[in-house]
Amino acid sequence: MKSRILVIGSSNIDFVCRMPKVPAAGETLISDDSYAFVPGGKGANTAVAASRLGGDVVFCARVGNDSYGEQLSEKYRAEGIDTRFIVNDKASRTGLAVIMVEDGGHNRITVYPGANMNLCEKDIEAAFTTYPDALIMQFEISKDAVIAAAHRAIMNGTKVFLDCGAVTEDFPLEELGKLEVLSPNETETFTLTGITPNSSANCLRACVELMNRIECKYVVLKLGERGCFVYDGTHCHHIAPIDVGEPVDTTAAGDAFTAALTVRYMENGGDIIDACEFANAVGGYVVTKAGAMPSLPTTKELKDFLNSGEE
Ligand code: RIB
């Protein structure tokens, strides 16, 4: 039987603009590239990625009282996700992200959280009636919601995979309880530890620092084009990325990485190295495509991509 994965997190509409380079303060740039509105949000991207990779996914989120809210919920339903725990928040608008992508694929994101910040303990309690085996979260919902969900999961014996997307320096990680996996990217690692993970020694220092603050089985640092780095409290491993050349757009690569890691880890009986290798491959696929949700692969698309030697 498949493991049930509960994602508690954000649902956004992304306004994406591509440009040769992001403008400096006071500068106006004219871009001849097009812009687009696409579904996104770290929670939603993760839920869709996990579902496309074969996970049995329940998504708990809040959308706003506008046309985007309905469209997004419909989209998740069409992806085969259990959407019964998506609340339509009558008092708020759907979350909106403004994403600037420059040549080379790197992005700058600002999020207007809207309804995401109203996700509350009652919503979380309702979602746990599905008896999930794993919980994935990020930090685009309120601090209280993240803490309440982590505590509820731990009480139930649900494994917690915490992606540090949008984490702030003052988040009280110590209050979360025992996690299965804590996974920051390079920026988030610096935010949480003050250490830039630019060498094996610094990756290890950052992991040790994180494990001193929070109980978790594994810390997995997402290092972008350098792959990832895993630490279990005793041993560390650097896992090399797949080669995909120049990225088109890195948006949602981290979300997809965490989704893939969780799906594979829950399938393979907790083999973290195998799960990280799989997650690296999925992250590699995602950066070759534009947009957040449009870039997330199904199992078949990933297989074809890896077999095509495109990587
Ligand atoms: O991680 C990418 C996501 O971050 C985007 O889809 C955007 O909505 C922001 O939440």
Side-chain angles (χ1 to χ4, degrees):
M1 208 171 64
K2 280 187 189 176
S3 297
R4 175 159 301 146
I5 298 173
L6 170 62
V7 180
I8 299 182
S10 58
S11 166
N12 295 335
I13 187 80
D14 290 353
F15 172 55
V16 187
C17 353
R18 295 191 67 92
M19 55 206 69
K21 68 174 181 73
V22 292
E27 184 182 18
T28 302
L29 287 177
I30 310 281
S31 169
D32 54 6
D33 227 319
S34 59
Y35 64 83
F37 286 92
V38 293
K42 295 189 193 303
N45 295 338
T46 305
V48 170
S51 180
R52 288 187 186 170
L53 293 170
D56 170 11
V57 179
V58 179
F59 185 33
C60 172
R62 279 202 175 217
V63 293
N65 191 16
D66 46 32
S67 58
Y68 288 134
E70 204 28 63
Q71 283 166 28
L72 291 174
S73 300
E74 188 44 51
K75 162 90 187 140
Y76 312 143
R77 253 191 301 279
E79 294 281 346
I81 293 171
D82 180 347
T83 58
R84 287 173 299 154
F85 307 98
I86 298 181
V87 176
N88 191 306
D89 189 320
K90 299 275 177 279
S92 307
R93 297 170 72 183
T94 299
L96 171 84
V98 178
I99 306 183
M100 293 191 284
V101 184
E102 62 183 354
D103 285 354
H106 294 290
N107 61 41
R108 309 271 194 295
I109 304 180
T110 304
V111 175
Y112 163 80
N116 293 310
M117 281 298 155
N118 296 342
L119 197 135
C120 65
E121 207 166 335
K122 191 165 150 243
D123 306 338
I124 292 166
E125 283 302 318
F128 270 95
T129 57
T130 58
Y131 297 102
D133 302 292
L135 165 68
I136 310 179
M137 286 192 292
Q138 316 78 12
F139 294 84
E140 280 185 341
I141 53 175
S142 75
K143 171 179 119 234
D144 290 349
V146 173
I147 294 174
H151 289 178
R152 185 65 162 86
I154 292 161
M155 203 170 84
N156 279 25
T158 302
K159 292 181 166 58
V160 182
F161 296 74
L162 186 60
D163 181 307
C164 297
V167 74
T168 52
E169 187 184 326
D170 57 353
F171 189 93
L173 285 182
E174 302 74 8
E175 290 180 27
L176 290 171
K178 184 159 185 193
L179 311 180
E180 196 72 9
V181 173
L182 178 76
S183 185
N185 69 14
E186 292 154 291
T187 312
E188 295 144 10
T189 300
F190 182 79
T191 301
L192 292 170
T193 65
I195 299 167
T196 303
N198 53 3
S199 64
S200 294
N202 282 346
C203 286
L204 183 56
R205 279 178 55 222
C207 289
V208 170
E209 172 90 17
L210 287 167
M211 277 216 182
N212 285 339
R213 280 186 64 192
I214 184 166
E215 243 192 301
C216 61
K217 197 160 174 190
Y218 301 107
V219 174
V220 177
L221 305 183
K222 293 186 277 260
L223 302 175
E225 65 227 23
R226 291 181 295 129
C228 64
F229 186 93
V230 188
Y231 180 60
D232 67 2
T234 313
H235 303 103
C236 59
H237 299 268
H238 173 243
I239 298 162
I242 61 166
D243 181 11
V244 293
E246 166 114 339
V248 172
D249 181 356
T250 56
T251 310
D255 308 333
F257 179 100
T258 301
L261 182 143
T262 306
V263 169
R264 181 57 76 94
Y265 184 93
M266 297 303 292
E267 270 171 14
N268 71 15
D271 180 341
I272 191 73
I273 302 296
D274 174 62
C276 284
E277 283 167 354
F278 182 63
N280 268 354
V282 171
Y285 177 100
V286 170
V287 304
T288 65
K289 309 269 182 289
M293 222 167 269
S295 68
L296 306 172
T298 60
T299 306
K300 173 160 185 336
E301 284 165 342
L302 179 70
K303 215 176 188 171
D304 292 347
F305 171 72
L306 295 173
N307 288 341
S308 73
E310 273 178 57
E311 76 278 26

